[in-house]
Amino acid sequence: MELEIKKNVKLADYSTFKIGGLAKYFVVVKSEDDFIVAIKWAKRRSKKIFVLGGGSNILFSDKGFDGLVIKNEIKGMEVVGENEDSAIIKSYSGEAWSKMVNFSISRNYYGIENMFYIFGTVGAAPVQNIGAYGVELKDIFYNLCAIDLKTGEKKYFNLKDCQFAYRDSIFKNKLKNKYFVLWVELKLSKKEKFNLEYGDIKNKLAEKGIENPKLKDVAEVIQEIRNLKLPNPGILPNAGSFFKNPVISEDEFKILKDKFSDIKSFPDQKGIKIPAGWLIEQVDVKGYRHGDAGVYENQALILVNHGSASQKDVLFLVDLVKKNVFDKFGIILEAEVNILK
Ligand code: EPU
């Protein structure tokens, strides 16, 4: 089948931040074969490629993209294995992540419910090891299949191969821009198994008088918490948490704790995690605006587009936030959103 390669497509329309210039070439792929045709098309013309999923974690350049943007719409989801205790579900990468969560909840599979209501596609989930409310993708990950962008060959990655860490994986490091995730398999529990330790979940369930929650109760509570804290990109364009929560050593933490006794912190595998939202709030930029780019007034970790912000506006704000946080705390904030310059 011939693929329709469009020219000069506005990337802002494909990003939840609603920012970005024109993609010189743009194609929608709906199957593995389409994808192979698309990468060959780009290779023959020596064009760069960029694979786009849900566009929910990206800040495109105002100059656009001088190559081929491949919009992934490869779909399909099924249960591929099952025993008394667990089930393995497989989803192609162009499906919405939220569909995979709904698919599991409707079958009474446990383990994924805390990641309800996260925007983006299944394919992006392992790349940045998405997470929320005490659960990360790595906790339920089973296997994935990816296509080598150079050779078109398939390769399988198990949990160890992916080298997952907080908002990180091999696909953001050693293999950055080298593979396309084609499908992902998750292993979920068929036995009741909740993760309710995150403070807000416990409080909300208690508020509602729910002592023995069902999967749908937990999903509902997660949705309510997210709605309170995170702006709906359909109303106020944004890309979720803009920065990662920095992880510092125990020693560094002790020094900060002496100076800032109310500093918030969480244990992490690699040290102490400090909520970037708290750090940003302390430097008085919550709600601050530079042009139409702003720090969200209810959650300082999120940068928003109040109308016609450009990447330049957002990056100005990013530098300001980073400088202020560094000057006060000596901590370097790192972006979580993928910034295409
Ligand atoms: N906080 C403040 N001020 C703020 C924002 C947060 O003091 O303006 C404090 C809160 O009081 C709380 C702590 O920071 O004690 C943590 O806040 P929250 O629970 O809202 O989570 P977060 O650390 O800001 C992370 C993830 C979110 C995820 C939530 C829940 C990152 C970069 N972000 O945010 O993920 O939903 O935890 O697990 O790790 C995303 O990745 O796009 C995302 C939304």
Side-chain angles (χ1 to χ4, degrees):
M1 198 188 70
E2 273 290 297
L3 279 183
E4 189 196 351
I5 312 267
K6 293 183 186 148
K7 277 184 101 172
N8 298 325
V9 171
K10 197 170 153 198
L11 288 169
D13 293 342
Y14 291 90
S15 145
T16 60
F17 230 141
K18 291 280 170 279
I19 293 173
L22 302 179
K24 189 143 190 204
Y25 302 98
F26 185 95
V27 67
V28 174
V29 296
K30 292 191 182 278
S31 67
E32 186 186 331
D33 289 347
D34 283 358
F35 183 77
I36 299 289
V37 172
I39 56 173
K40 282 187 178 157
W41 184 95
K43 203 173 182 179
R44 273 199 305 278
R45 290 162 182 80
S46 305
K47 299 288 177 209
K48 290 185 293 186
I49 59 173
F50 178 76
V51 180
L52 175 62
S56 56
N57 197 47
I58 185 127
L59 176 57
F60 283 121
S61 163
D62 301 323
K63 295 191 301 261
F65 184 75
D66 184 28
L68 176 67
V69 171
I70 304 178
K71 170 89 169 75
N72 177 8
E73 290 187 8
I74 307 177
K75 298 201 176 164
M77 202 176 287
E78 59 181 328
V79 178
V80 290
E82 195 164 5
N83 64 22
E84 221 175 89
D85 299 326
S86 60
I88 300 202
I89 54 172
K90 170 179 173 177
S91 170
Y92 278 86
S93 52
E95 291 280 11
W97 169 257
S98 59
K99 192 173 157 191
M100 200 166 187
V101 180
N102 286 326
F103 181 90
S104 310
I105 292 178
S106 68
R107 282 164 180 76
N108 274 317
Y109 298 158
Y110 296 80
I112 198 173
E113 61 283 352
N114 289 24
M115 291 191 281
F116 186 60
Y117 217 53
I118 296 182
F119 292 95
T121 53
V122 169
V127 175
Q128 58 153 357
N129 184 25
I130 60 169
Y133 308 105
V135 179
E136 287 183 343
L137 183 92
K138 71 167 172 46
D139 303 325
I140 49 169
F141 179 84
Y142 188 64
N143 195 13
L144 69 76
C145 173
I147 295 178
D148 184 324
L149 294 177
K150 256 202 182 130
T151 63
E153 274 164 24
K154 280 186 194 161
K155 190 173 170 191
Y156 298 87
F157 293 79
N158 64 22
L159 181 67
K160 210 165 150 242
D161 300 329
C162 290
Q163 297 179 12
F164 289 125
Y166 166 60
R167 291 295 190 280
D168 204 23
S169 76
I170 194 164
F171 304 106
K172 278 179 96 173
N173 295 294
K174 212 171 109 201
L175 301 184
K176 193 174 167 144
N177 298 330
K178 293 202 165 32
Y179 279 91
F180 164 71
V181 176
L182 179 64
W183 54 251
V184 177
E185 286 175 345
L186 304 180
K187 186 173 179 184
L188 299 169
S189 173
K190 286 169 75 176
K191 299 266 159 73
E192 185 177 300
K193 197 171 150 195
F194 284 115
N195 199 321
L196 306 175
E197 287 315 300
Y198 207 88
D200 287 352
I201 304 182
K202 272 192 201 156
N203 299 342
K204 277 257 175 221
L205 287 169
E207 254 172 48
K208 291 173 164 234
I210 302 174
E211 277 176 21
N212 297 306
K214 300 256 174 301
L215 269 172
K216 73 162 188 20
D217 298 323
V218 176
E220 222 171 84
V221 157
I222 299 278
Q223 183 168 5
E224 281 170 26
I225 298 170
R226 292 187 76 92
N227 274 338
L228 277 178
K229 291 197 172 175
L230 309 171
N232 179 341
I235 298 166
L236 188 56
N238 70 88
S241 299
F242 196 91
F243 299 99
K244 285 193 205 174
N245 286 327
V247 176
I248 59 175
S249 70
E250 299 257 358
D251 290 347
E252 286 166 319
F253 179 68
K254 273 192 201 123
I255 295 168
L256 283 178
K257 181 85 185 160
D258 282 345
K259 240 173 131 184
F260 308 99
S261 58
D262 57 342
I263 189 167
K264 297 217 163 125
S265 65
F266 301 95
D268 181 85
Q269 297 130 289
K270 292 188 181 163
I272 309 279
K273 193 185 270 181
I274 313 292
W278 183 86
L279 294 169
I280 297 168
E281 190 166 340
Q282 305 312 303
V283 297
D284 291 331
V285 287
K286 203 167 175 174
Y288 180 82
R289 275 173 79 150
H290 172 75
D292 268 347
V295 178
Y296 186 48
E297 56 194 2
N298 298 334
Q299 204 336 343
L301 192 51
I302 295 174
L303 302 186
V304 295
N305 174 5
H306 287 286
S308 53
S310 61
Q311 186 194 57
K312 194 166 165 241
D313 297 330
V314 175
L315 294 182
F316 181 93
L317 197 59
V318 168
D319 285 345
L320 182 88
V321 167
K322 283 174 82 165
K323 184 179 182 307
N324 288 357
V325 167
F326 182 77
D327 288 350
K328 185 158 183 170
F329 298 101
I331 290 179
I332 299 173
L333 288 183
E334 221 184 285
E336 196 234 350
V337 164
N338 187 6
I339 303 171
L340 273 189
K341 287 195 181 159

